[in-house]
Amino acid sequence: MSNFKQKYACVFLRNHYAQIFFWPLFCSLLFIALWVFTYAKIEDDTKSLQINALKDVSALSRSYAQYLTRSLEQLDQVSKHIKYDWETSNGKLRLEDLRVQGLFTAPQFTRVAILDKYGRPITSTVANDQRQVEGRSESLRRLYLFHQLNNSSELQLGLPGALNSSGKQVVHFTRRLERSDDSFDGIVVISVEASYFSTFYDEQSMGKSGLLAALGSDGVSGISRIGDIVRIDNAQRFDQAISSSADIGARYVSDSAIFIDQQSRFLGWHRLTAYPLTAVIGLSNGELLEPYRAAWRASKNFAITASIFLLLFAIVATRMSISLAWRKYQEKEMQHTYRLATEGADNGFYMLNALHDNQGEIIDFLYVDCNVLGAKFFGLNRDELIGVKLSSLQTDSYFKKLLAIYSRAMETGFHEDEYKVPEESQVDFSWARRRLARSGSGLAVTISDISLRKQTEKELVHLANRDGLTGLYNRHWLLNYLPLALQRATTGQYMLAVLFIDLDGFKNINDTRGHAAGDQLLKSVASRLQSVLRPTDHVIRLGGDEFVVVLEPVYEESKSANVAERISESFAQAFLWNGEKHQMSASIGISLFPKDGDDTETLLKNADIAMYSVKAAGKDHYNFFRPELYAKLKDRFELEQALIQALELNQFVLHYQPRVDTFTGEMTSMEALIRWSHPERGMVSPMEFIPIAENSSLILRIGDQVMEMACAQIAAWKAQNLALVPVSINVSARQFQTGDLHSKLQANLEKYGVDAQFLEIEITESAMMGEGSAVVAELMAIRELGIELLVDDFGTGYSSLSQLQRLDMDVLKVDRVFTSELGKTSEGKIFFKAIVSMAHALNMRVVAEGVETLEQLSILRILCCDEIQGYYVSRPLPPEQMVTLLSQRFLLPEVNKMPAIVAA
């Protein structure tokens, strides 16, 4: 008996091994996955923090370097002015008087003074400033001795700083003074509070323990600030943390001993190109990690709790699994046949016996067994269904159908089908899969509810044929529907119309207001199109802003025109989105079956051609297909091919139109304008081919060629020893959006050895309407090359004041439309004055385009417009004629010039 039990237990374990050990293994895997995920998350957070911190310190150090450069340039200019005024006044300049007049009153100027060749103050903005240089700071003595022994007139910086008589930390800036014979005559001293150079510190972006420093050429001396404390000593050895070989860089410094507050930091540095300073930004590692630590603690606590839960769950689940497996094993033999028949939780299982009449014919079936789910299908429990006849659960008509199917299964031995459950059936679902197998004198029946699968199949068919956004039919549906519709039209001997619709103005709304607005407008368009059609007509969205309407049937051509007119009228009312009104129109092309084609592809193509002719004629209308429209499309294609050939054969040339100073007439720049030197048509205006190029990728190749030709021409003029002025080239929106414009510019400048100051980039307002970060990044990259940026055709696009301020452009070129109004209306003058005032407030120069008359020039001088361009100065000229203008330099007639002092 004991051996029997052992054998019985071994068989049980062997048959249920997986079931018993499943939960412990499963919970163990979950435990491992949980902790791997927890620590991986912490590791990913740390790596992400480090990457972002290095990016942040790099960007902040670059910005701080720009801030220092601007500040030092201002001090440089101030010292130059003082030097010039002192030397030209023969030593009579009095800084005390200038301070009384309001100069040097900025809080950062603690002292401005002139020391004679013996180091004695001669004049100063500080009262009773009579101490000699020997009594002053070591840094000032060192600067004084440097100027005394060197004839360099460059601005010198006194690092480290010093404490002045008021106890303030200051940095001295000096410049050598000279007599007429270039001998040493003293120095100009500008003392600036050290805290002035740390005002760039922003606690929001750098934290409470952020580091900001401006270091001298030795990498040690300088000004530093941690939090609110500013230091001018060299106690922090930044030279150990900053690479001496890299002018720009970022790294993590784990050696906290380098810093006064003993905190490790992420450091970014950027050496100034014009001055012997290095801008350093540091972000505290501990401060950056602090927001993450609470989340990490919470993650670990959660992992611990979950681990405990998994352990308890594994114990309970294992015990339950053993108990359940043991019961199942004991009942296995008894329930084996039934389990095989009822396998699958979504099946209803029935055992039915056939009932025969006296002639042996089957007249009914009796339910002798079923599972719970099978009984539930009829709204009964198992005990209620067993012993019931099949006929008692069905209507007479449906019972006859079932009896025929079940009887046939008894004859053949098997039957399987899928069927839609009729309304008279007692089964409470819509679709079923039925399997009947003969078993002795009866049937084993399995019924599965497949309603969900059928519904899914129906939805998949719907998705395949419907546009997900608008709910309209899509291209797939159209390509299947139209051939059948053409067959019906042929059989019924009527016409069919295909209307190809393209939205006018949608792209602009989508680009400026975002995809959410565009999606909502497309839904509104779909509703309006459906509202003007008959029930037999169909609207299809092909994709983007293109729609097709199929009119079936059509007995007169004019009926399709009437529908097109109703569509156009429905678009006359503005579309609403988010409280805004947006106006769009529709360009509609119409093709008719069988007149314009007898197959799907031809009808769609011809309707598309007709729509394109509407676009070319001004949009917002409809047009029927005509064979000559195809010829026009062919001409456009041939022109594109000719443009490709022109690029390959170098048929494009540049003409140049000068820009001059409004007051003096001196040439300040010139704009490069492309022309097509066609071998047969002669010189082709860009108005003829640029629109076509912009609608294809050819504009990118043309833009690259213009870039190279302009740089090559500048290099050629340079070789002729001509006095160069900057050349501006126009950049299309598509070129600007590629993201590699700055790389191409740099490559051409290096290839032809052209200084970046002689190249300018003109960008239309539409080119600046892309993603904000992408626009700023590309403009910054171009600006770092030393290239000036111009806003072209201002007033015709969508730029805003905030956008112009954010993008930091150099020059604003006002479109000729506004220039032409000068002298005609007072409103034109007022509007132009507003543009000039706005631009000057943003530190931008203003260029008036299209200046053609002396009257316009006079008004522009009154309005303080900086530069002019137009036929009044010169037409665009080929390079060889521009040589004369470069030599002449001043291009306005003498009578129209104004002295520079008047201009100022």
Side-chain angles (χ1 to χ4, degrees):
M1 189 70 176
S2 176
N3 292 336
F4 174 79
K5 289 183 178 180
Q6 291 178 357
K7 184 178 180 181
Y8 194 79
C10 290
V11 172
F12 166 73
L13 290 174
R14 184 169 61 249
N15 292 339
H16 298 85
Y17 179 87
Q19 184 176 356
I20 294 173
F21 292 100
F22 171 79
W23 289 113
L25 181 60
F26 178 75
C27 291
S28 298
L29 292 175
L30 283 181
F31 174 85
I32 294 171
L34 175 65
W35 282 101
V36 168
F37 174 81
T38 300
Y39 279 99
K41 179 66 169 59
I42 294 173
E43 182 68 18
D44 288 342
D45 287 346
T46 304
K47 289 181 179 179
S48 177
L49 171 68
Q50 292 175 348
I51 292 171
N52 291 332
L54 290 174
K55 289 181 180 179
D56 290 343
V57 295
S58 293
L60 287 169
S61 64
R62 181 171 61 251
S63 299
Y64 184 40
Q66 295 171 352
Y67 166 82
L68 289 176
T69 300
R70 290 193 298 269
S71 300
L72 294 178
E73 286 175 348
Q74 293 175 358
L75 294 172
D76 203 357
Q77 290 299 316
V78 170
S79 67
K80 285 181 179 179
H81 278 295
I82 295 174
K83 171 182 171 64
Y84 175 81
D85 292 342
W86 173 262
E87 292 178 350
T88 54
S89 67
N90 294 322
K92 297 180 179 179
L93 177 68
R94 288 294 174 265
L95 297 175
E96 297 88 343
D97 297 337
L98 295 179
R99 181 174 178 84
V100 172
Q101 295 173 12
L103 297 179
F104 313 123
T105 57
Q108 65 267 25
F109 293 113
T110 61
R111 175 173 173 265
V112 180
I114 294 177
L115 307 184
D116 64 11
K117 64 182 180 180
Y118 301 107
R120 296 172 300 192
I122 300 174
T123 177
S124 172
T125 58
V126 177
N128 300 320
D129 188 11
Q130 299 301 319
R131 291 166 298 167
Q132 294 189 0
V133 70
E134 288 77 8
R136 300 182 185 274
S137 69
E138 180 60 27
S139 62
L140 185 56
R141 283 177 53 82
R142 188 170 59 252
L143 292 172
Y144 172 83
L145 293 175
F146 173 85
H147 288 299
Q148 188 179 44
L149 300 175
N150 296 273
N151 60 359
S152 171
S153 61
E154 295 297 322
L155 182 71
Q156 299 297 315
L157 286 70
L159 291 177
L163 296 175
N164 65 5
S165 59
S166 300
K168 294 182 178 179
Q169 298 177 342
V170 298
V171 178
H172 301 299
F173 297 86
T174 62
R175 186 179 296 276
R176 176 186 171 98
L177 297 176
E178 297 174 339
R179 296 180 179 177
S180 58
D181 60 355
D182 295 335
S183 61
F184 176 70
D185 194 34
I187 61 173
V188 176
V189 180
I190 301 176
S191 300
V192 179
E193 278 196 45
S195 59
Y196 171 69
F197 298 97
S198 66
T199 55
F200 181 84
Y201 190 101
D202 180 18
E203 184 175 310
Q204 185 174 1
S205 60
M206 296 176 62
K208 295 182 179 179
S209 299
L211 166 68
L212 179 147
L215 307 182
S217 58
D218 58 0
V220 178
S221 302
I223 306 163
S224 64
R225 174 177 175 176
I226 296 179
D228 295 326
I229 301 174
V230 180
R231 305 178 67 92
I232 58 172
D233 56 24
N234 56 4
Q236 302 182 94
R237 299 290 301 182
F238 293 109
D239 57 335
Q240 300 176 15
I242 297 175
S243 174
S244 61
S245 59
D247 292 338
I248 301 173
R251 58 169 293 204
Y252 173 64
V253 182
S254 58
D255 185 4
S256 59
I258 292 177
F259 306 102
I260 292 295
D261 58 352
Q262 302 296 305
Q263 293 190 41
S264 58
R265 282 182 171 82
F266 293 91
L267 279 191
W269 66 90
H270 194 115
R271 289 192 171 89
L272 279 62
T273 56
Y275 299 95
L277 282 180
T278 299
V280 180
I281 294 293
L283 298 180
S284 169
N285 182 48
E287 195 169 18
L288 292 173
L289 287 174
E290 187 59 34
Y292 292 87
R293 288 194 173 111
W296 294 343
R297 285 193 295 271
S299 297
K300 290 181 180 179
N301 292 335
F302 172 81
I304 293 171
T305 303
S307 299
I308 296 173
F309 172 81
L310 285 174
L311 176 61
L312 296 176
F313 178 82
I315 295 172
V316 174
T318 302
R319 289 179 60 85
M320 292 179 65
S321 296
I322 294 173
S323 176
L324 179 62
W326 181 254
R327 285 199 307 270
K328 286 184 177 180
Y329 182 76
Q330 289 178 324
E331 298 170 359
K332 180 178 179 182
E333 295 300 324
M334 181 178 59
Q335 297 180 346
H336 180 67
T337 303
Y338 191 81
R339 282 181 65 253
L340 290 176
T342 60
E343 207 169 36
D346 58 345
N347 294 337
F349 174 75
Y350 314 90
M351 292 296 296
L352 292 90
N353 282 343
L355 302 178
H356 302 267
D357 61 8
N358 294 332
Q359 286 76 34
E361 297 290 332
I362 297 177
I363 59 173
D364 207 340
F365 285 87
L366 181 71
Y367 288 98
V368 296
D369 199 2
C370 70
N371 63 2
V372 175
L373 183 61
K376 188 177 180 180
F377 284 165
F378 291 96
L380 303 172
N381 58 43
R382 182 173 176 273
D383 295 334
E384 290 173 337
L385 184 60
I386 294 174
V388 175
K389 292 182 179 180
L390 178 65
S391 58
S392 66
L393 297 176
Q394 314 295 339
T395 62
D396 290 342
S397 59
Y398 188 53
F399 169 69
K400 292 178 180 179
K401 296 177 183 178
L402 288 178
L403 183 62
I405 294 172
Y406 283 29
S407 298
R408 189 163 57 251
M410 287 293 292
E411 295 175 5
T412 61
F414 185 80
H415 176 82
E416 185 174 18
D417 64 352
E418 293 181 357
Y419 66 98
K420 184 172 179 60
V421 178
E423 293 181 0
E424 58 264 34
S425 173
Q426 294 296 314
V427 178
D428 59 353
F429 45 84
S430 56
W431 277 89
R433 183 174 182 269
R434 176 171 52 193
R435 179 183 294 174
L436 293 80
R438 187 173 58 205
S439 174
S441 62
L443 291 174
V445 181
T446 303
I447 296 179
S448 304
D449 180 4
I450 60 171
S451 304
L452 180 60
R453 194 192 80 193
K454 287 293 185 180
Q455 179 63 28
T456 302
E457 292 175 355
K458 182 179 179 181
E459 291 175 356
L460 289 175
V461 172
H462 178 84
L463 291 174
N465 292 286
R466 292 282 185 172
D467 175 53
L469 176 65
T470 62
L472 298 175
Y473 290 118
N474 59 16
R475 181 187 292 272
H476 178 266
W477 179 89
L478 176 65
L479 296 179
N480 289 304
Y481 167 81
L482 205 50
L484 300 176
L486 297 180
Q487 292 179 11
R488 292 194 298 270
T490 302
T491 303
Q493 295 185 343
Y494 55 77
M495 292 185 295
L496 181 145
V498 174
L499 282 64
F500 198 109
I501 304 170
D502 188 88
L503 305 182
D504 307 324
F506 173 78
K507 185 178 184 303
N508 180 51
I509 298 173
N510 196 52
D511 290 344
T512 57
R513 290 297 182 267
H515 295 302
D519 291 348
Q520 184 58 48
L521 292 178
L522 288 174
K523 293 178 184 178
S524 300
V525 168
S527 299
R528 291 198 188 181
L529 290 175
Q530 290 176 311
S531 69
V532 299
L533 300 180
R534 302 170 299 180
T536 58
D537 301 329
H538 300 284
V539 183
I540 301 95
R541 182 185 178 215
L542 292 184
D545 59 350
E546 292 181 341
F547 296 82
V548 166
V549 171
V550 179
L551 305 179
E552 180 191 8
V554 175
Y555 296 102
E556 299 176 14
E557 288 189 14
S558 60
K559 298 299 182 181
S560 57
N562 292 341
V563 173
E565 290 174 355
R566 290 203 302 271
I567 292 173
S568 296
E569 290 172 359
S570 71
F571 276 70
Q573 183 179 357
F575 291 84
L576 293 177
W577 177 79
N578 201 22
E580 300 176 349
K581 292 184 177 181
H582 297 281
Q583 197 65 50
M584 292 190 300
S585 59
S587 296
I588 308 171
I590 307 173
S591 64
L592 297 171
F593 169 83
K595 173 185 174 184
D596 301 324
D598 57 3
D599 61 82
T600 298
E601 182 180 356
T602 303
L603 287 171
L604 288 174
K605 181 190 72 174
N606 291 342
D608 190 14
I609 292 172
M611 182 277 295
Y612 182 79
S613 70
V614 177
K615 288 279 190 182
K619 306 179 182 180
D620 192 17
H621 198 54
Y622 68 89
N623 204 357
F624 284 91
F625 172 76
R626 300 188 305 277
E628 57 267 25
L629 296 179
Y630 177 74
K632 291 182 179 179
L633 187 63
K634 181 180 177 183
D635 290 342
R636 176 186 175 89
F637 175 77
E638 290 176 350
L639 183 55
E640 287 186 5
Q641 295 302 307
L643 284 174
I644 295 174
Q645 187 178 28
L647 283 165
E648 294 174 350
L649 299 179
N650 295 319
Q651 293 179 356
F652 291 112
V653 297
L654 293 182
H655 285 189
Y656 300 87
Q657 188 174 33
R659 293 198 334 248
V660 301
D661 186 278
T662 307
F663 299 93
T664 65
E666 182 179 5
M667 187 193 307
T668 56
S669 180
M670 65 179 77
E671 181 178 1
L673 301 167
I674 192 170
R675 299 290 186 268
W676 182 4
S677 181
H678 196 278
E680 297 176 1
R681 298 171 58 186
M683 200 64 70
V684 182
S685 168
M687 298 298 293
E688 297 185 36
F689 62 87
I690 288 297
I692 295 176
E694 286 183 337
N695 289 329
S696 67
S697 60
L698 291 176
I699 193 65
L700 300 178
R701 294 179 60 188
I702 292 175
D704 291 345
Q705 197 169 98
V706 168
M707 209 182 302
E708 183 162 1
M709 288 191 296
C711 290
Q713 187 59 61
I714 295 171
W717 283 332
K718 179 181 178 182
Q720 299 176 40
N721 294 322
L722 294 171
L724 300 179
V725 296
V727 175
S728 63
I729 59 175
N730 292 279
V731 175
S732 71
R734 292 192 62 176
Q735 281 179 274
F736 195 72
Q737 292 162 3
T738 59
D740 62 351
L741 178 60
H742 66 282
S743 301
K744 293 180 178 180
L745 289 168
Q746 184 176 10
N748 279 285
L749 291 172
E750 293 175 353
K751 178 180 179 181
Y752 292 100
V754 174
D755 195 312
Q757 66 175 316
F758 295 115
L759 190 65
E760 298 174 338
I761 297 299
E762 296 193 17
I763 307 168
T764 62
E765 293 177 272
S766 61
M768 302 189 302
M769 294 300 293
E771 296 294 331
S773 60
V775 171
V776 173
E778 187 65 21
L779 287 175
M780 182 178 293
I782 295 173
R783 181 178 294 282
E784 288 182 352
L785 294 176
I787 298 174
E788 284 203 345
L789 300 170
L790 291 70
V791 180
D792 194 20
D793 299 333
F794 179 76
T796 61
Y798 301 92
S799 64
S800 63
L801 177 62
S802 62
Q803 187 180 32
L804 289 176
Q805 187 176 20
R806 178 172 58 90
L807 297 181
D808 191 20
M809 307 298 282
D810 298 294
V811 178
L812 194 71
K813 298 187 72 175
V814 184
D815 190 78
R816 64 182 66 249
V817 173
F818 302 104
T819 306
S820 64
E821 290 298 313
L822 296 177
K824 295 180 181 180
T825 63
S826 59
E827 290 82 1
K829 182 177 179 181
I830 293 172
F831 192 80
F832 206 103
K833 182 179 180 181
I835 294 176
V836 173
S837 299
M838 176 200 69
H840 285 172
L842 296 175
N843 293 321
M844 298 174 66
R845 304 193 305 277
V846 181
V847 178
E849 295 184 302
V851 178
E852 298 183 355
T853 67
L854 176 59
E855 182 183 10
Q856 292 172 347
L857 173 61
S858 301
I859 295 173
L860 290 169
R861 285 174 169 170
I862 295 172
L863 297 178
C864 295
C865 179
D866 301 289
E867 301 173 22
I868 64 170
Q869 179 180 343
Y871 284 1
Y872 184 77
V873 179
S874 172
R875 291 178 175 273
L877 299 175
E880 56 271 14
Q881 295 184 29
M882 281 302 299
V883 171
T884 303
L885 298 188
L886 284 169
S887 302
Q888 181 181 342
R889 207 66 176 180
F890 291 88
L891 305 185
L892 291 179
E894 290 295 331
V895 68
N896 292 327
K897 294 181 183 177
M898 295 181 66
I901 191 170
V902 176

